């Protein structure tokens, strides 16, 4: 049974940092590119970042570029999202998921339909 478990969320002030983790089990983690998405109450889930299987290629939504860094440790079956200079608009539930498409494009990386095995999410709240 595949499980992705996010952790590391919390309540912080604007300008603070957080590091989220996504622990994977039940799948060959190193065989999957991975993604981070987020969803605020009443809004659609939106793409945040994507990392290739080996970690050598990373991609970000423009809203987080330069502030967030995605990384992974395949030996630990874990992906991370380092979030710096947090803003109130970063407030959301953050989800990780495994990328299951063949090949990679800007559109496929950003689409929820390209991912499977979603975690339960971890809440990030940034106060102003």
């Amino acid at each position: 049974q595949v499980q992705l478990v996010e952790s590391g969320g919390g309540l912080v002030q604007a300008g603070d940092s957080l590091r989220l983790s996504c622990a994977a089990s039940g799948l060959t983690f190193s065989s999957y590119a991975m993604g981070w998405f987020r969803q605020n109450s009443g809004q659609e889930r939106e793409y945040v970042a994507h990392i290739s299987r080996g970690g050598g290629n990373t991609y970000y939504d423009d809203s987080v570029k330069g502030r967030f860094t995605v990384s992974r440790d395949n030996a630990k079956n874990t992906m991370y999202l380092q979030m710096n200079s947090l803003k109130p608009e970063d407030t959301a539930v953050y989800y990780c998921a495994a990328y299951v498409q063949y090949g990679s494009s800007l559109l496929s990386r950003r689409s929820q339909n390209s991912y499977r095995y979603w975690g339960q999410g971890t809440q990030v709240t940034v106060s102003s």
Side-chain angles (χ1 to χ4, degrees):
Q1 180 182 356
V2 176
Q3 268 196 313
L4 299 178
V5 179
E6 302 93 339
S7 62
L11 172 62
V12 297
Q13 293 187 332
D16 286 350
S17 298
L18 277 176
R19 188 174 85 153
L20 306 184
S21 298
C22 170
S25 60
L27 78 169
T28 305
F29 182 68
S30 59
S31 295
Y32 290 86
M34 299 290 295
W36 284 101
F37 285 74
R38 64 187 181 186
Q39 186 172 23
N40 211 341
S41 177
Q43 299 181 9
E44 290 194 4
R45 193 173 296 182
E46 62 179 18
Y47 166 79
V48 174
H50 175 104
I51 186 166
S52 61
R53 288 176 293 178
N57 294 307
T58 57
Y59 308 88
Y60 302 92
D61 184 75
D62 286 346
S63 65
V64 306
K65 200 172 294 183
R67 300 187 298 121
F68 290 12
T69 302
V70 59
S71 63
R72 65 191 296 163
D73 185 339
N74 285 344
K76 295 183 178 179
N77 290 348
T78 302
M79 176 178 64
Y80 305 97
L81 185 67
Q82 178 66 44
M83 306 186 295
N84 298 330
S85 302
L86 282 162
K87 303 175 181 180
E89 51 263 44
D90 294 319
T91 295
V93 178
Y94 284 71
Y95 299 90
C96 63
Y99 183 77
V100 295
Q101 289 284 5
Y102 291 105
S104 176
S105 69
L106 175 63
L107 286 179
S108 67
R109 290 190 297 269
R110 297 182 64 89
S111 171
Q112 294 183 60
N113 294 331
S114 299
Y115 296 83
R116 195 177 298 170
Y117 312 126
W118 295 85
Q120 84 291 344
T122 185
Q123 175 72 48
V124 172
T125 303
V126 184
S127 64
S128 57

